[in-house]
């Protein structure tokens, strides 16, 4: 009797292995195996499950994106963020980099934005990649407003005003405009501008933003709208003060601490604390040259969500 039972078990084992071979290696469907071997579909399914349970079959999934997921989690944990998206390359050009970052930023924004939200936005070529990404497929009545001045003759397409208009049209919402540059020529000019009712109302709205969408600038990129001669002088002043990053017209040192500069007396925009108080602050930034600036901005604890490229993300973790 024992010998007979042993033979039955051996026959079932051989059948189990044969079915597993046909299904997992040859790619046969279960119904094909059932018809070919004259077994019920339930019997085939049972033997396949047994093969898995007993370890005769091992299924391994090679996830090519696993390293990126691990990288996202490391950055999220290290900097205390709620969301991180690491965008994989290749990036054949700086334009391609900003376009891909903008695409993923647009997809994230579409997930989190709600009707009647106020969306504050900055200027910058990376933000332009988001507002021109043709992926928004919903109508959301939002209000989009620049969080600082957005007038520039040389970089019109990259100003907060232009971005507010483009994003509002993509989402089907409305927008406001700040008819002044980010930095005016003197504190007296700022004082006069801030007394203007239109500027006061616009920036008050920006300060109430539910979502802030920010670029992260270096010392050099933050002053591109200034005349070349004065730009070089101002850059040196900022570097001497230890400035490495600019966020929303505000300057930060390598530790993410706010640096008081003469620009604060000339800034047409909302206060740094107002940015911090927004429920969601998402930053879009990339490029190895910006890694120190991004690190500084993240240390400031103003940012909740980050969209960044793979090489720069690795630099953040390994530096």
């Amino acid at each position: 009797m024992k010998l007979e039972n042993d033979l039955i078990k051996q026959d079932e084992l051989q059948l189990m292995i044969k079915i597993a071979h046909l299904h997992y290696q040859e790619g046969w469907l279960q119904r094909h195996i059932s018809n070919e071997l004259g077994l019920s579909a339930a019997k085939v399914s049972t033997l396949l499950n047994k093969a898995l349970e007993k370890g005769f079959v091992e299924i391994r999934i090679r996830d090519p994106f696993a390293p990126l997921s691990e990288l996202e989690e490391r950055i999220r944990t290290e900097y205390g963020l709620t969301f991180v998206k690491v965008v994989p390359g290749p990036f054949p050009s700086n334009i391609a980099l900003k376009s891909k970052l903008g695409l993923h930023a647009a997809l994230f924004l579409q997930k989190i934005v709600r009707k009647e939200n106020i969306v504050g936005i900055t200027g910058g070529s990376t933000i332009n990649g988001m507002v021109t990404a043709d992926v928004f497929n919903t109508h959301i009545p939002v209000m989009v407003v620049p969080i600082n001045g957005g007038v520039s003759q040389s970089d019109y397409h990259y100003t907060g005003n232009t971005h507010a208009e483009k994003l509002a049209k993509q989402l089907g919402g409305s927008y406001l405009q700040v008819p002044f540059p980010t930095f005016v020529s003197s504190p007296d000019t700022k004082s006069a501008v801030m007394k203007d009712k239109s500027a006061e109302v616009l920036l008050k709205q920006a300060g109430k933003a539910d979502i802030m969408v920010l670029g992260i600038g270096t010392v050099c990129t933050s002053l591109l709208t200034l005349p070349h001669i004065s730009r070089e002088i101002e850059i040196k002043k900022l570097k001497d003060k230890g400035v490495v990053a600019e966020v929303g017209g505000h300057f930060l040192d390598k530790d993410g601490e706010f640096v008081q500069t003469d620009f604060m007396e000339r800034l047409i925009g909302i206060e740094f604390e107002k940015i911090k108080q927004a429920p969601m602050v998402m930053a879009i930034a990339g490029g190895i040259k910006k890694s120190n600036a991004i690190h500084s901005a993240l240390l400031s604890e103003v940012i909740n969500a980050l969209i960044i490229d793979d090489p720069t993300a690795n630099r953040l973790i390994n530096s």
Side-chain angles (χ1 to χ4, degrees), residues 228-240:
H228 181 74
I229 296 176
S230 61
R231 187 192 315 159
E232 294 302 314
I233 297 172
E234 298 292 0
I235 286 173
K236 184 178 186 309
K237 286 181 182 178
L238 292 176
K239 286 183 175 179
D240 288 344

Side-chain angles (χ1 to χ4, degrees), residues 77-97:
T77 302
E78 183 165 327
Y79 292 103
L81 304 176
T82 59
F83 175 84
V84 177
K85 175 62 183 179
V86 174
V87 180
F91 307 105
S93 67
N94 200 37
I95 293 175
L97 167 64

Side-chain angles (χ1 to χ4, degrees), residues 173-187:
S174 56
Y175 62 94
L176 298 175
Q177 302 275 270
V178 180
F180 306 99
T182 303
F183 300 111
V184 292
S185 58
S186 69

Side-chain angles (χ1 to χ4, degrees), residues 260-279:
Q260 183 65 46
T261 70
D262 295 342
F263 281 99
M264 293 305 96
E265 299 174 7
R266 296 156 51 194
L267 172 67
I268 306 301
I270 65 174
E271 299 89 350
F272 191 60
E273 288 304 314
K274 286 286 186 182
I275 300 176
K276 274 190 172 184
Q277 290 168 12

Side-chain angles (χ1 to χ4, degrees), residues 116-130:
E116 311 304 334
N117 274 176
I118 297 175
V119 180
I121 198 165
T122 67
S125 56
T126 307
I127 303 296
N128 188 65
M130 184 195 77

